[in-house]
Amino acid sequence: MNIAVLLLAAALSAGNAEFDETARAGAYEIAVGRFVEEVSQKGPGEGLLAKAMLSDPAAFASADASKDKARELYFKLVADAVEIERGKIAERLGITVADSAGSKPAFADRQREAAQKSFEARYAAERKAACDAQAKELVGATRPTEAEVEEMSDADLAAKMMERIVAVQSSPVFEENRSYISETMVKPVIESAREEQRHQREYVKRARSEVASPSKMAEEFRSRLAANVVERAKGRPADMAWGVFPSVVSKTLPEAVERRMVERLSSRVDGVKVSVAVDDVIKEIESDPQGHVKASESERRFFEAYSAGALATAFSDVVSDAPEADRSEVESYLRNRLHAGSVSKAVERLVRREVMPKWREARREAADRMAAEIWPSLDDRTWYPPSELADETAARSDYASAVRAWRKMDGMSALASASGGRVVLEEAEAKADDAVAKAFDLARSAIAAQNAIVDGSHAEVLAVARERKESFWRRTPTMKDVVDMLTHATEEKWGATRVATLWPDGNAPSNASEQHRELFPSVRRKIELLSKLIIEEMEQPQPEEPTPEELEELEEIALSVVRRDGKVEVSLKRGGEDVATESVPATADEFRKAMRRMSDRISSDVLRLQ
């Protein structure tokens, strides 16, 4: 039955003698129960929790403690609402509250259980409302100083700003609002500060000036920076309108001035005109050969000397360009920075580009001149090793190593001591080494060529020896005769081909007619050994010439089998010429048939077998 109907029925029955206390008590219980359910589910009036939090922020500052406290308050508000409504219902029914006192605990249990279900959502909404309301009233604190921004990390700076902002509020700050403060009041300020720091540093780093004096340049940069900072601060919130950061003035600005002054010197180095004459370099090397024996040491000396000269010229030019009143300051400032990185690199680029190529050219010329003076026969290629020395060296297993150590060879003392104690550039020594190695290589080539002629004359001399042996009118050749014949044949052919063999490009030395004209001792020994063999062969009977039939039997018959593109090609060759060819599918059966036909062809047509 509807609660309103019950109340109405009860009211209409008031004073009726037949209406008993049981009906009124039942109506009261139903009405109060319905209200308890309703108020427990919906909660007390909206905004009561938020109002309580804002009225006592200290008690509700902590998020966890606030929820526990709000829960108890919520239950109390629900209970208070129920008590008020109980009184109203009792009054309408004409009963006193005391009449239903016995049922009050049961109502308290029911309302707490129902209220627990509605509390979470109501608390979340009203906690947010309270925090939002407080956030609107939060006031900012004085922003950190430029010095604090530079001295502290972002985390420490954020903690310091949070502390200051919380301290200046008129009441305690809800814990949730600390993240609001961090995101909306602290973080933007710190980001603004860091961005301004970067801007100021970049502004100073990019600044340029035509002022000669470093102190005046620094003052100009400071003035321009200050004006730029003021201009950037216009229209910004007060907590983001920054002044000049101390480190920009104390560190970045001096570095920028130094960079500009050093760049000025570096650019003048790039423009220095260096005059280097090859003859002057040669004179310098020859005036102190001991100091220039090693190419690396010589290069270091010239590099340092010309570097110092180029740097001195550029330094003098920069100082001279400055107004007279500033020259002393500019000179003193740059003198302490002559070896700055960019200056040293500019000097190195200049010297390596303008000086060192001419140094290398001069050093080559000096080495060539020295080598020609000390070893003229090596320079014009007229020197060549004696036959015995060439033979001995060419036969060595460590030929290359032996030639490199030519100064220690027996028989090379005159050439090795040709310098007479004179200091020799390492390139001149290398030039001599190369010339000696080429001379020995030429001798080894001559030995090989002579040996080849000996081998090539074998058949010719053997034929002559046999002819004399078989002649009735001539004496059988002796060992000495064969040696003389083989020697004469070798010398004759060597004399005809020697120059072309040793200098095929036609670039022969002036004494080409003398070099390696005689046969080498090792070649003569080979002639003697080969002569013994010729004597033995001469005494042996010569094999009879084969008859035409024998030649035919000796004729080569070849069978060729090639597989390609799914087929097998079988070819029969006789004396190098094709006699027959068959191409069959690449199967075992077809191949066997083809081979049978070829076998028949060989036996009947080629060998003519019966």
Side-chain angles (χ1 to χ4, degrees), residues 34-44 74 78 81-82 118:
R34 289 289 182 87
F35 180 78
V36 169
E37 290 295 333
E38 182 181 348
V39 76
S40 297
Q41 291 175 8
K42 294 182 178 179
Y74 188 78
V78 169
V82 169
S118 63

Side-chain angles (χ1 to χ4, degrees), residues 481-556:
D481 294 333
V482 175
V483 169
D484 289 344
M485 282 191 292
L486 192 52
T487 300
H488 176 73
T490 303
E491 288 178 336
E492 186 176 31
K493 291 177 182 177
W494 178 238
T497 61
R498 180 176 59 85
V499 174
T501 299
L502 298 180
W503 300 282
D505 59 356
N507 185 25
S510 60
N511 66 341
S513 61
E514 301 174 9
Q515 289 196 32
H516 309 305
R517 184 178 59 187
E518 303 296 330
L519 298 184
F520 288 87
S522 63
V523 176
R524 292 186 180 278
R525 287 193 293 272
K526 180 170 183 174
I527 288 174
E528 292 180 359
L529 292 174
L530 191 56
S531 296
K532 290 180 181 179
L533 179 60
I534 290 174
I535 292 293
E536 292 176 0
E537 292 175 334
M538 181 184 70
E539 297 296 337
Q540 293 174 357
Q542 295 187 60
E544 295 183 1
E545 290 292 326
T547 65
E549 290 76 13
E550 290 173 330
L551 288 175
E552 184 177 355
E553 290 180 0
L554 293 174
E555 188 174 28
E556 181 181 1

